[in-house]
Amino acid sequence: MVLAAGGGRRYGGPKALVRHDDGRLLVERAVATLREGGCTRIVVVLGAESARVRDEAQLGDARLVDNPAWKSGMGSSLRVGLAAVAEAETEADAVAVAVLLVDTPGIGPDAVARLLAAADSGSKALVTASYQGKRGHPVILGRDHWAGVSTLATADVGARAYLVAHADQVQAVPCEDIADDTDLDVPPEQ
């Protein structure tokens, strides 16, 4: 799941529509990262300028869902995405979901693959990438946790409150050797 609904207020526009150094839109890059990392079905949660993202982005067979409450923060996008995965007939057999933020281009397929390999507990999985001992993205959420994550996901907190409350179940997988989860908050200086 790619969370790509934000308006990018500090960036100057939706980050989903920002072109990365490789020429692709950040949303295209995030979808490719999940796909190349081993995810078989991808949901992209859109919000700000969703019609424009749909028109401009080449996302293949990714399922696009809209978050009408995108202005309330990442928590609502996570809830919308989890509901879309849980409700879809074709997703009924999904036991876990990998969550990637659209504005973390330093995370590549290797990090996703490493987390998926570590998520051997299936529907009970709670796996996060870690960077110098701090939890980061991507995050793998097993189906058994979706309802709890949705309950606690508010504002820009996302799954953080749930992960803190279930810290004894969270498996942190070091990824600093293959990824950088720094998010793009503001455009690079010209």
Side-chain angles (χ1 to χ4, degrees):
M1 172 190 321
V2 177
L3 300 182
R9 182 180 44 82
R10 289 175 292 183
Y11 202 90
K15 294 180 209 170
L17 293 166
V18 170
R19 292 227 176 258
H20 189 257
D21 297 340
D22 62 7
R24 292 184 291 180
L25 296 175
L26 286 179
V27 70
E28 293 169 341
R29 188 178 192 296
V31 167
T33 294
L34 289 177
R35 186 172 288 119
E36 293 166 18
C39 296
T40 56
R41 291 173 295 228
I42 299 167
V43 170
V44 180
V45 182
L46 301 174
E49 296 201 44
S50 66
R52 188 171 158 215
V53 174
R54 288 172 189 274
D55 286 344
E56 294 181 24
Q58 302 299 311
L59 301 175
D61 63 352
R63 182 167 171 232
L64 309 180
V65 296
D66 287 309
N67 174 11
W70 64 267
K71 288 181 181 178
S72 67
M74 180 184 6
S76 64
S77 291
L78 183 56
R79 288 192 310 271
V80 165
L82 288 173
V85 173
E87 292 170 4
E89 251 179 71
T90 59
E91 310 290 344
D93 59 342
V95 295
V97 64
V99 180
L100 183 63
L101 306 179
V102 74
D103 63 351
T104 53
I107 297 173
D110 291 344
V112 174
R114 184 178 285 180
L115 263 67
L116 290 174
D120 57 7
S121 54
S123 65
K124 297 184 183 319
L126 272 182
V127 182
T128 68
S130 69
Y131 303 88
Q132 282 77 44
K134 294 184 180 180
R135 279 196 310 260
H137 287 91
V139 176
I140 308 288
L141 302 171
R143 182 180 280 277
D144 292 357
H145 301 284
W146 296 352
V149 168
S150 292
T151 298
L152 295 180
T154 59
D156 274 328
V157 175
R160 187 179 318 137
Y162 188 85
L163 295 171
V164 168
H166 296 84
D168 59 326
Q169 298 172 46
V170 177
Q171 178 184 1
V173 177
C175 287
E176 59 270 351
D177 62 320
I178 56 172
D180 176 359
D181 81 332
T182 303
D183 63 340
L184 302 177
D185 278 338
V186 295
E189 291 185 32
Q190 304 279 323

